[in-house]
Each structure stands twice: as structure tokens, then as C-alpha cells.
Amino acid sequence: RRQRQMCIRDRLYAGLLYRWRTPRLLSMKKLATALVALVAIEHLYILVLEMFLWTRPAGLRAFGLTPEFAEQTAVLAANQGLYNGFLAAGLLWSLIRKDDGFPLRVFFLGCVIIAGVFGAITAKPSILLVQAVPALIALVLTVLAQRQTAGPR
């Protein structure tokens, strides 16, 4: 009888633990997914700015350009915008796959982080905060969510 009581108690404890942990797991995964989606949306926005609005008032304001400089560099900006679009497409692809898309997500977030660090060093330091830091936070949350989902090893 004592063994049966322990078994019931253990089951009850396991059930409470499961209920306590499951919402946290789901919220971590949802938060990571939301941040990855935000990074993708940010890069789609950058694509639009660099490819279509570079020489227009919105593009001039966003990048602090003169109209003359914007005209001279429009083709280069469009090329940059296309690369930002590829990053966004990769992140969105990682979110809509039937499997968890974890390797793709890690790869494309890593690309965004590297591009953000390079841009901060070579172009404008604020790129680090605008592009690299959100991607880094999304990457950390993605890895943590993946580890929690996988459980103890």
C-alpha cells in the first residue's frame, strides 16, 4: 500500500511539474519566434528603404543622405537591399517550415549578426544596436527554447 501511495504522489508531483513547465516552454518558443519574425520584418523594411526609397525623402531621412549622394549610390543601395531581402527570406523560411527550422534560423540569425557587426565597424556604429543586437537576442532565445524543448540530456 505504501508503494502505491508513493506512486500516486510521484504522479501528482510529475503532473504539477509538467503543468508548471509547459507554459514556460511555450512562451519561450513563442517569444523566440516573435523576435525572429521581427528581425525578418526589419530586414524587409530595410530592403524597401534601400531598393525603392533610397532617393526619396523617406530614404534620405532614414540614412541621413544628400540627394546627390543618394543618386550616385542608388545601384549600390539596391544591391544591399537585395541582400537584406535574402536574410529576411531565410528567416521567414525558417519559421514556416514543417520541421522546427532550427538550423536555418541559427544560420540566418548568425548572418544578420555578422552583417550588423561589419556594418557597425565599416559604416555606422548604430547598426550594431539596430540590426545585430535584436538578432543576437533572437538567437539566444531560439537556442534556449530549443534546449528546453529537447529536455535534459
Side-chain angles (χ1 to χ4, degrees):
R1 181 177 179 153
R2 183 158 199 246
Q3 190 170 3
R4 184 176 172 186
Q5 284 178 339
M6 286 184 66
C7 186
I8 292 170
R9 191 176 338 138
D10 289 345
R11 285 186 201 165
L12 178 64
Y13 176 71
L16 290 173
L17 183 63
Y18 177 77
R19 285 188 199 101
W20 175 78
R21 249 188 123 179
T22 301
R24 217 171 86 198
L25 279 175
L26 292 176
S27 64
M28 176 71 78
K29 188 173 183 178
K30 286 180 182 177
L31 182 59
T33 300
L35 279 173
V36 171
L38 283 174
V39 172
I41 290 167
E42 176 187 25
H43 281 78
L44 286 174
Y45 175 68
I46 295 169
L47 171 143
V48 170
L49 282 174
E50 292 177 342
M51 290 190 79
F52 306 112
L53 302 176
W54 186 258
T55 58
R56 301 224 167 106
L60 298 175
R61 274 193 312 275
F63 297 105
L65 306 173
T66 63
E68 298 79 26
F69 183 77
E71 286 295 332
Q72 293 171 353
T73 58
V75 173
L76 294 172
N79 190 38
Q80 252 176 230
L82 188 61
Y83 285 105
N84 279 295
F86 290 141
L87 292 173
L91 290 171
L92 292 173
W93 179 33
S94 77
L95 293 176
I96 63 170
R97 289 180 55 96
K98 288 185 181 182
D99 62 2
D100 69 352
F102 178 74
L104 281 174
R105 217 167 291 150
V106 169
F107 174 77
F108 282 101
L109 286 170
C111 289
V112 170
I113 293 166
I114 291 167
V117 169
F118 184 76
I121 292 168
T122 61
K124 193 175 178 185
S126 64
I127 292 174
L128 188 68
L129 292 175
V130 174
Q131 290 182 27
V133 169
L136 180 61
I137 294 169
L139 178 61
V140 168
L141 289 176
T142 297
V143 170
L144 290 175
Q146 181 73 12
R147 284 190 178 176
Q148 281 186 343
T149 303
R153 294 181 186 191

